[in-house]
Amino acid sequence: MGEIAENYYKLVSELPAHVKLVAVTKTRTPSEIMELYNCGHRLFGESKAQEMVPKYEELPKDIQWHMVGHLQSNKVKYIAPFVKLIQSVDSFKLLKTINKEAVKNDIIIDCLLQIHIAEEESKFGFELEELREILESEEFSKLKNIRIKGLMCMATFTDDVQQIRKEFRILVSFFKTLKEKYFNEKDDFHEKSMGMTDDWQIAIGEGSTMVRVGTALFGERPK
Ligand SMILES: *Cc1c(COP(=O)(O)O)cnc(C)c1O
């Protein structure tokens, strides 16, 4: 068995059954991705549209592609026809563009709202107040071709476990607030995408339903 397959089976054996694993494939080659595919894995994530499209074209069509990185509005059209879930919705403008492209393709596109919880300014995502305004707006209520399935976040890059745990708890509390107020009737709204190679155990302890892991599967990313 190759190293990627070994890493995969080890990780899967440690994940609770209700937690989905998104294998993040940025900078990985199609043949590396096929090593996981051949283990039976079908759920992959990319952080750039321009990397996702050629991989989608080259690889088997039963792969489910999640967009996990910051997405520019002008790139939505390239992934809209096939993307399974856009996890990184971080502006109202982007959400409206996704809806527009979904209308064009006559589909509904599933989305997660990315929440800014990290201390780092560089990370993307909504603040809670900003989201409230959007979710209460008439403009939002008219977006019929998107389906909000939950929230996503990236914790601060730090060794401080308490800090990371605190941030995941903020996401969970936002999730509860939004669920009660805006998505109470909607079973669709149930995902908490949190946790990566260095913090997925903490994330699962705090209630993650979906982890996004690259390095622990494929090894260190080439610089
Ligand atoms: C790269 C990336 C990951 C995976 O990171 P690893 O530390 O390699 O597991 C997860 N989420 C997002 C948004 C990413 O860009």
Side-chain angles (χ1 to χ4, degrees), residues 59-198:
L59 292 164
K61 294 297 173 284
D62 61 343
I63 288 179
Q64 301 178 358
W65 288 104
H66 286 194
M67 173 54 65
V68 300
H70 177 62
L71 178 62
Q72 287 170 292
S73 295
N74 61 6
K75 301 272 165 57
V76 175
K77 58 177 177 285
Y78 302 117
I79 64 167
F82 67 88
V83 72
K84 177 81 179 152
L85 178 67
I86 300 178
Q87 296 206 10
S88 43
V89 175
D90 56 8
S91 73
F92 197 15
K93 178 179 175 218
L94 178 60
L95 199 57
K96 287 185 273 191
T97 307
I98 294 169
N99 187 74
K100 192 176 82 188
E101 294 299 328
V103 170
K104 273 194 211 161
N105 286 278
D106 196 20
I107 53 175
I108 289 176
I109 297 182
D110 287 339
C111 297
L112 301 183
L113 302 170
Q114 183 171 353
I115 306 293
H116 186 258
I117 51 162
E119 289 193 330
E120 293 149 80
E121 282 296 321
S122 59
K123 298 238 159 92
F124 293 98
F126 292 105
E127 309 293 334
L128 184 59
E129 275 317 305
E130 198 183 353
L131 260 187
R132 282 184 195 277
E133 270 179 39
I134 292 169
L135 296 173
E136 286 171 16
S137 71
E138 201 189 327
E139 220 181 347
F140 175 77
S141 68
K142 288 182 183 150
L143 304 179
K144 300 293 185 203
N145 288 60
I146 49 155
R147 182 163 43 215
I148 309 290
K149 300 208 67 165
L151 305 181
M152 180 271 230
C153 71
M154 282 173 94
T156 301
F157 186 70
T158 172
D159 291 334
D160 183 349
V161 171
Q162 289 315 318
Q163 173 71 22
I164 295 171
R165 197 181 297 284
K166 191 180 94 192
E167 292 179 1
F168 288 149
R169 286 186 180 167
I170 295 174
L171 183 108
V172 171
S173 101
F174 280 13
F175 179 91
K176 285 188 183 141
T177 304
L178 295 174
K179 174 87 185 159
E180 271 170 31
K181 190 127 202 266
Y182 306 105
F183 299 98
N184 211 0
E185 316 272 276
K186 299 212 165 87
D187 293 339
D188 293 330
F189 189 86
H190 65 270
E191 298 286 8
K192 282 165 271 179
S193 175
M194 50 188 208
M196 307 174 24
T197 290
D198 290 332

